Amino acid sequence: MPIRRHIQDENSPRQGSHVKSATTTILSSNTGLTKSSNLSTVHRSNGYQNAHRKPKLKHKGEGSSALIVPNLSLPEEAGTLFSWYTQNWSDVKRNEFLHKFMLKLDPRQHYFVSSFLAARQHKDFISLLPKDISLKILHYLSVQDLLRCCMVCKTWNALANNNDLWKYKCETVKMEVPVSDQPEWKKLYKDNKYLRVNWNSAKCKITDFKGHSDSVICVIFDHLHLASGSLDKTIRVWNLKTGKCQHVLKGHVKGVWCLNFFTHNLLVSGSYDGTIRVWNLRTGKCNKTIIAHDGPIWALARHNEVLVTVSQDKTAKVWDINRCLHLNSLLGHTAAIFAVDMSEDGHLVITGSADKSVKIWNIETGRCLRWISVSQTTSIMSVSYSQGHLACSYGETICVYKVEGPTRLIKKYLDIVNEHQKRIECLKLGILDKEKGEGIIVSAGKDGAVKYWDIQKDKSIQTFVGHRGREVNAIYFDELRIASAAHDNKIRIWDFNV
């Protein structure tokens, strides 16, 4: 194969000066050696330290140069060859030698040479590029790769921990943990990641709220307050963080069976006495009282200013709670209505009755859109609607339906071993992914157990027992915690954001 003489010609005027300048070698004074014209002697006496480094030229004065010979351990012939290569040969001769030399190498040596050259050609472009461009590149990496980048070097660590970069990562997932005013996005991403792990492993902080003198029948909370209603005819409002009771609301003449926050400072309650009351949480006083039903009010649901209440009198009534105005009555159940819920947009009302059926209503027209015969034996005690899915309970059984389009039963949990052994009093459904049908259910009943379910699995994931075997009357949950109210006169909070 012909050699391409692309570097310089042998007769180039640069050739003579190159050879002349390389004929003298100066050794470091630390070695105790002097100048020598015989490079092979130097190689024998000192050896080479690094076979892969090129000799360094050290300039001393104008127009003069000297070669610092590396300290390598090579045979005398090899040292002589190295001297010829570095001192005497032109670039053309070096190329011819390397060409013939490379043809003699075996695959293992080829691999060594290629690996060495690849390492010499490596550039840390992330550190060399402007910060904005480096961050733009890193934001395409997965979270796992970003965490690996943190271990490369200090520069990569600083870039991979950039707060704006982790803010982008948080925007790509559903954030369930609360975001502060000055968030540390990497920590928030981590907390959000481990939140669902804590739910599945039952890792939580437990807080008990005590103060009622009789069974607690209902419970609800927002990000500031928790409210509970009891058979002692009172409503207690608690600070959710400290657990201290802030208000004791008195006015109902019988037990309080349902609650809902209207605003952060207004609370709506429904009672066994058939009335609805609106309470001011700043003053602790009742602002409005509505005589709503001819029997006990068992449950209520709210969307914006629209409130729906259900009663022993077999009716569900729709109210404009802001004006305390009765808008409509939903008639059709043939027995007491024990449960109610509303769709996310407020257009649908779902009711469960002692007539063993669930009905879905158009809230504006009052017309029943769908009737589902759920049970053949006993009353529907609880209903919960989420993103086109409906969960309801009767006896020790939970049923999950998909009600967008044709009604279809997609899951049924029976009274199997290690599940609810007594009647389920309440449940809440939360759909996480509507298209994939992923979601969770929290249920509680007379057996004193609070259970956490994945609707795609056949058994409950976790069971929480915290009321000494007393029946649990009500539950409420969000992304962070579960609140349960029971016959032992207390409320227990299970907080998974730990």
Side-chain angles (χ1 to χ4, degrees):
M1 182 182 297
I3 304 300
R4 299 182 61 181
R5 291 171 169 77
H6 62 279
I7 298 181
Q8 70 178 51
D9 190 84
E10 290 190 26
N11 298 323
S12 172
R14 296 175 55 195
Q15 174 64 21
S17 61
H18 172 76
V19 175
K20 182 179 179 180
S21 64
T23 56
T24 305
T25 303
I26 298 178
L27 300 178
S28 172
S29 58
N30 294 335
T31 63
L33 298 176
T34 59
K35 298 181 180 179
S36 174
S37 60
N38 188 346
L39 288 176
S40 62
T41 304
V42 176
H43 299 317
R44 288 195 302 271
S45 60
N46 294 291
Y48 285 100
Q49 189 176 24
N50 190 341
H52 306 303
R53 292 188 179 176
K54 292 183 179 180
K56 298 182 179 179
L57 291 176
K58 181 178 181 182
H59 298 280
K60 298 185 69 176
E62 185 68 25
S64 65
S65 63
L67 182 66
I68 304 300
V69 179
N71 184 22
L72 298 172
S73 296
L74 290 175
E76 180 180 349
E77 319 77 69
T80 303
L81 180 62
F82 183 78
S83 172
W84 291 344
Y85 182 89
T86 59
Q87 303 286 328
N88 301 329
W89 289 352
S90 66
D91 289 332
V92 174
K93 288 185 177 180
R94 290 176 184 174
N95 291 342
E96 290 175 348
F97 171 77
L98 290 175
H99 175 257
K100 294 178 180 179
F101 181 71
M102 293 294 289
L103 292 176
K104 295 296 183 180
L105 299 181
D106 62 30
R108 294 175 299 170
Q109 293 159 343
H110 274 236
Y111 176 78
F112 170 78
V113 173
S114 63
S115 300
F116 175 75
L117 292 177
R120 290 295 297 269
Q121 293 172 355
H122 171 73
K123 295 289 184 182
D124 183 4
F125 65 93
I126 291 294
S127 300
L128 296 175
L129 288 173
K131 181 179 178 181
D132 291 345
I133 298 178
S134 297
L135 292 176
K136 185 67 175 178
I137 294 171
L138 291 178
H139 100 282
Y140 288 104
L141 298 181
S142 65
V143 172
Q144 292 78 9
D145 290 337
L146 274 181
L147 296 176
R148 293 188 185 100
C149 289
C150 293
M151 300 184 289
V152 174
C153 63
K154 291 183 178 180
T155 303
W156 282 51
N157 183 276
L159 290 170
N161 282 314
N162 182 271
N163 206 40
D164 292 336
L165 182 62
W166 283 98
K167 180 181 179 181
Y168 170 79
K169 292 299 179 184
C170 289
E171 291 172 352
T172 62
V173 298
K174 181 183 178 182
M175 293 297 292
E176 297 179 319
V177 298
V179 179
S180 59
D181 295 333
Q182 295 181 341
E184 185 181 343
W185 290 104
K186 184 178 180 181
K187 183 178 184 303
L188 284 174
Y189 189 97
K190 177 183 176 182
D191 293 343
N192 191 70
K193 178 72 175 179
Y194 281 98
L195 179 62
R196 192 54 51 193
V197 176
N198 292 342
W199 275 84
N200 293 336
S201 62
K203 182 181 178 181
C204 60
K205 177 185 176 183
I206 297 176
T207 306
D208 288 335
F209 295 71
K210 298 179 181 179
H212 285 290
S213 60
D214 206 339
S215 296
V216 185
I217 303 299
C218 54
V219 65
I220 194 170
F221 59 80
D222 59 13
H223 67 285
L224 293 176
H225 304 105
L226 181 143
S228 57
S230 171
L231 290 181
D232 63 10
K233 308 173 188 177
T234 68
I235 301 167
R236 288 181 177 261
V237 181
W238 316 77
N239 184 300
L240 192 57
K241 292 183 178 180
T242 64
K244 294 182 178 179
C245 183
Q246 295 179 327
H247 296 290
V248 179
L249 309 179
K250 297 180 179 180
H252 284 294
V253 296
K254 292 185 179 181
V256 180
W257 282 81
C258 46
L259 294 167
N260 202 294
F261 284 104
F262 182 29
T263 67
H264 291 314
N265 296 306
L266 293 177
L267 179 69
V268 181
S269 63
S271 171
Y272 194 91
D273 60 17
T275 65
I276 302 169
R277 289 180 180 259
V278 181
W279 306 85
N280 189 320
L281 299 184
R282 290 177 178 173
T283 63
K285 304 295 183 182
C286 178
N287 283 0
K288 299 174 182 178
T289 301
I290 305 172
I291 301 175
H293 288 273
D294 294 332
I297 298 175
W298 297 122
L300 58 81
R302 183 189 64 83
H303 180 269
N304 295 334
E305 297 179 352
V306 177
L307 182 76
V308 180
T309 57
V310 295
S311 171
Q312 184 73 24
D313 63 8
K314 309 175 187 177
T315 66
K317 293 188 178 182
V318 183
W319 309 84
D320 182 339
I321 194 61
N322 192 41
R323 297 181 293 166
C324 296
L325 179 66
H326 178 228
L327 300 178
N328 203 354
S329 293
L330 309 179
L331 305 176
H333 281 295
T334 58
I337 306 173
F338 291 135
V340 64
D341 200 3
M342 298 179 71
S343 61
E344 291 84 357
D345 58 10
H347 292 160
L348 301 178
V349 175
I350 301 90
T351 55
S353 170
D355 63 10
K356 309 167 190 174
S357 71
V358 171
K359 291 191 176 185
I360 301 177
W361 312 78
N362 183 302
I363 195 170
E364 295 178 355
T365 64
R367 187 169 62 92
C368 179
L369 302 177
R370 197 165 301 180
W371 174 80
I372 306 172
S373 179
V374 177
S375 170
Q376 303 297 322
T377 57
T378 187
S379 305
I380 308 300
M381 298 303 299
S382 184
V383 297
S384 183
Y385 182 92
S386 179
Q387 299 187 46
H389 293 73
L390 168 68
C392 58
S393 68
Y394 62 92
E396 300 86 27
T397 303
I398 298 174
C399 295
V400 182
Y401 292 87
K402 187 171 183 180
V403 293
E404 279 192 352
T407 303
R408 180 165 58 93
L409 177 66
I410 60 176
K411 203 71 176 178
K412 189 172 186 179
Y413 302 99
L414 302 174
D415 52 342
I416 58 179
V417 178
N418 297 325
E419 304 301 354
H420 286 294
Q421 301 301 309
K422 295 183 179 179
R423 189 179 71 194
I424 298 171
E425 292 291 304
C426 50
L427 61 77
K428 297 290 182 182
L429 170 68
I431 294 298
L432 304 177
D433 192 316
K434 178 180 177 181
E435 300 301 324
K436 296 180 180 179
E438 297 176 353
I440 60 174
I441 297 174
V442 179
S443 62
K446 285 184 172 294
D447 57 3
V450 177
K451 289 186 174 288
Y452 170 59
W453 310 75
D454 183 334
I455 65 173
Q456 293 186 329
K457 297 182 179 180
D458 296 328
K459 296 182 179 181
S460 61
I461 299 175
Q462 291 294 335
T463 299
F464 307 96
V465 179
H467 294 280
R468 296 179 299 179
R470 305 296 295 275
E471 66 181 79
V472 179
N473 299 311
I475 53 170
Y476 190 82
F477 82 96
D478 62 5
E479 295 85 358
L480 304 179
R481 56 183 71 88
I482 300 173
S484 59
H487 269 303
D488 58 3
N489 306 348
K490 75 178 183 183
I491 305 102
R492 170 160 285 193
I493 298 291
W494 321 75
D495 191 345
F496 300 93
N497 188 26
V498 294

